[in-house]
Amino acid sequence: GGAERVRTVTTLGTPHRGAPQAVLAVALTGLLPRGTSAWDLLPNSRLLNALNRERFPASVPMLSIYSRADLVC
């Protein structure tokens, strides 16, 4: 809910589908405890899958700014 209160959604360099680098971050830090944000950024994480299952309201314009050369997204 809340679409009626939002004029536009703008994201900047947001890894909507996860960041492959999160695998490296989890591995290099000794497998962080499950609840940390690195786990949430893993491609196909429970959080990202849940967010991507939800339909984005057609009434809210979305602008996603990204770079093809960005190593995060």
Side-chain angles (χ1 to χ4, degrees), residues 25-72:
V26 168
L28 288 177
T29 55
L31 297 174
L32 294 166
R34 277 217 103 30
T36 60
S37 58
W39 286 92
D40 291 336
L41 285 174
L42 289 171
N44 293 313
S45 72
R46 274 195 285 164
L47 173 67
L48 290 177
N49 284 338
L51 290 172
N52 288 321
R53 257 193 312 272
E54 294 294 320
R55 224 176 232 288
F56 194 80
S59 62
V60 178
M62 182 177 193
L63 172 63
S64 182
I65 301 170
Y66 67 98
S67 167
R68 292 176 193 233
D70 189 344
L71 297 176
V72 175

